[in-house]
Amino acid sequence: MNNSNTPSDDQVVAAFTGSLAERAEAGVLLAVGAEVSFDSGVVVVTLHPEVAVPDPDALMSLSPFDNHAEFAGTPIAFANEEGIWLRRAVTRVETRLPDGTDLGALTAAELYKLGTGSKLPAAE
C-alpha cells in the first residue's frame, strides 16, 4: 500500500476483496463468495449467500445487519492508515444480491461515523 497516492481501482478492489476473504476464512458466512467491483468512487459488493449455505434465505434472515454496507464497508470505516488511503478513492459502498436485490448503501462519511463515532474530517 502506497499511502502517498490515491489507490487505483485494482487496489480498492483488492483491499475490499481481501477484507471479505479474511472474514470468510474466519467463518463469517455472509462473506463467503462475495464479489467486489469499483467504479467512479463506488464499491459494489455482491453477496452470495447461496454459496455459503443450502438455504440462503435463512442466512439472510439471521444477518444482524439492516444495511449490509455496514458489513462490507469495514475497510473505510476507521481512522487507520488503510481507511484514510482508501477514502481518497471510495465515496460510497453499495451491497446487493446476485439478482440485483438492494442490501443497502452507505457513504464513506456514514461508514466513518459508524466505525469511529466521529464525523469524517473535512481534510478527507
Side-chain angles (χ1 to χ4, degrees), residues 33-77:
E35 293 178 283
V36 178
S37 63
F38 179 69
D39 186 41
S40 301
V42 179
V43 171
V44 177
V45 177
T46 303
L47 300 179
H48 288 273
E50 74 284 358
V51 173
V53 295
D55 187 351
D57 291 333
L59 175 61
M60 295 309 292
S61 72
L62 294 172
S63 171
F65 300 98
D66 292 327
N67 184 335
H68 287 79
E70 185 177 346
F71 168 72
T74 301
I76 63 167

Side-chain angles (χ1 to χ4, degrees), residues 15-16 19-20 22-23 45 65 68-80 82-84 86-87 93 106 111-112 115:
F16 277 81
S19 173
L20 289 161
E22 285 177 16
R23 294 168 98 178
V45 177
F65 300 98
H68 287 79
E70 185 177 346
F71 168 72
T74 301
I76 63 167
F78 300 100
N80 60 11
E82 181 182 46
I84 293 166
L86 289 169
R87 283 192 299 276
V93 175
L106 291 167
L111 284 159
Y112 185 86

Side-chain angles (χ1 to χ4, degrees), residues 1 10-11 27 45 50 63 87 90-91 97 105 110 116:
M1 168 176 32
D10 288 342
Q11 289 172 315
V45 177
E50 74 284 358
S63 171
R87 283 192 299 276
V90 179
T91 58
L97 291 174
E110 291 167 330
T116 67

